[in-house]
Amino acid sequence: MAILLALVSMCSTLLGGFVALRIGERRRLVLGLAAGVMLGVVFFDLLPEALAESVQPVHGVPVALVATVAGFFTVHLIERSMAVHRGHEGEYGVHAHRLQSMGLLAASGLVFHSLLDGIGIGLGFQAGASVGVAVAVAVICHDFADGFNAFTIPTLYGNAHTRALVVLGLDALAPVAGAVLGTVIHVPADLAELYLGYFAGFLLYLATADILPEAHAGRPSRWVLLYTVVGAALMFVVAALNN
């Protein structure tokens, strides 16, 4: 099941890439909805499940929350080290990218993200079917935006469309490979709070630091905010039905 859902994630990534130049302003609404879904998964599914598994606190703080912070900063450090600023070139002042390889290096960070996404799906199903499905839904929503950026970032750095398509293909295959790894690698049950909390931090960063800023870039739109709220509300309903 984890691998099948990862294949859906692959299709979502490809869809995001292929509509990158055609969707226009409607892309912001899709990104807003995706961010809301991801936030809903974090706060209504992953964190409650991780805290329920939490046993030994660290100086009074649940280990799951420590893992969440670690997951958040892991993605942040990866993006900063690879100089990924996911589009928004106009917001960074006058600057030049001297090497086309910099664009490929930046996009490789997205491929690594997608690999971790797939691993998260596999590990989620080890924690339970409902957790695995919730994680997969969040990943599928996120990977649409990831596919969009996997195509646009290389082209912003001067790479040809053919190279961008290669990066898009790798980004699409990465969650499938990750799901295989997450299914094969057995994680002890007593570590559930760690990887659930860690992946919650991972998704929290992607939603708040990547997708939401991109959704709100440009002229203000109340519709984007509404779609974000709707996405979170949908995941609240899903979580409520699963309990």
Side-chain angles (χ1 to χ4, degrees), residues 22 55 108 110 117 119 133 143 149 167 170 188 204-206 228:
R22 300 182 181 182
V55 179
S108 69
L110 302 180
D117 285 346
I119 292 174
V133 171
D143 277 359
N149 287 298
V167 174
L170 293 175
L204 183 62
Y205 181 90
L206 294 176
T228 304

Side-chain angles (χ1 to χ4, degrees), residues 15 27 71 119 130 166 189 200 209 213 224:
L15 179 63
R27 177 179 68 94
I119 292 174
S130 62
V166 171
V224 174

Side-chain angles (χ1 to χ4, degrees), residues 2-14 136 139-140 143 175-176:
I3 296 172
L4 287 176
L5 288 173
L7 289 171
V8 177
S9 176
M10 179 183 73
C11 295
S12 177
T13 301
L14 292 173
V139 168
I140 290 168
D143 277 359
V176 180

